[in-house]
Amino acid sequence: MMKKIATGILAIAATSAVALSLPSAASATTATATATADFDDYSDYWGPVYAKQHLAKAQGHVDVAWDEEDSNEVQVTGRLYDLDDRDYDEGGKCAYVKFQAEDSDGDWSTVYTRKYCGSPGYKKFHFEENDVFTLRVKVCQVPEQGTFATKCGSWRELYSAEDA
């Protein structure tokens, strides 16, 4: 009988020790995650953004890091999907994504484009750009052997320094 009571007390003590150690381990994990997340001044998922008639789409993630001199670095990752399953001789087209950045003077310039032919499927992409005030994206379709974008969706703003 005495052995059972001693075993029970030891089991309770061991369980209490484990329970007391868990909150400190959880807070250490949270502190590490917070320190890592502080690197990005802005971070968000974007999309999906579609071409007209939803035959192409893009989606991904944008991260922005600012330095002390009012300069930033924008990193964009994503996937471009070709959703047009028609053959090219039937009028099928490829997916096309275009990114434009606005600088602090209000001037827009194209900073990245990508074309992908291969329904069904997608192509991953990644690019970086510096000193971006606003970033926007548009998804279109293009002929397999061409670069003239057609059936474009509207521009979608992904990031603005005013909102961050």
Side-chain angles (χ1 to χ4, degrees):
M1 178 81 164
M2 193 62 106
K3 221 180 212 185
K4 287 184 181 181
I5 294 173
T7 304
I9 292 174
L10 285 174
I12 292 171
T15 304
S16 299
V18 169
L20 290 175
S21 68
L22 287 178
S24 62
S27 64
T29 303
T30 304
T32 303
T34 303
T36 305
D38 287 342
F39 172 78
D40 293 321
D41 295 308
Y42 178 85
S43 181
D44 199 10
Y45 288 96
W46 59 269
V49 178
Y50 289 94
K52 280 188 180 175
Q53 301 172 349
H54 290 249
L55 295 176
K57 80 172 181 177
Q59 63 188 37
H61 196 266
V62 59
D63 294 302
V64 181
W66 284 87
D67 65 13
E68 295 84 30
E69 299 175 13
D70 295 330
S71 177
N72 66 11
E73 179 181 335
V74 175
Q75 295 183 11
V76 177
T77 57
R79 292 180 178 183
L80 177 60
Y81 295 82
D82 181 0
L83 305 175
D84 192 345
D85 60 359
R86 298 174 295 168
D87 291 334
Y88 299 117
D89 58 345
E90 295 174 337
K93 295 188 176 17
C94 304
Y96 178 81
V97 65
K98 180 177 186 174
F99 291 87
Q100 287 187 339
E102 179 186 29
D103 62 20
S104 59
D105 295 329
D107 297 324
W108 288 96
S109 61
T110 299
V111 294
Y112 185 82
T113 61
R114 175 62 63 127
K115 174 180 170 179
Y116 174 65
C117 304
S119 177
Y122 65 86
K123 183 169 196 133
K124 292 181 180 182
F125 61 86
H126 171 84
F127 70 94
E128 298 175 8
E129 188 66 27
N130 292 317
D131 301 325
V132 174
F133 187 76
T134 306
L135 180 70
R136 65 186 182 182
V137 63
K138 178 168 47 173
V139 178
C140 305
Q141 289 187 283
V142 295
E144 180 184 24
Q145 301 299 324
T147 57
F148 182 72
T150 61
K151 300 186 180 181
C152 296
S154 57
W155 285 107
R156 168 93 61 89
E157 185 176 290
L158 301 183
Y159 166 76
S160 175
E162 288 180 349
D163 299 335

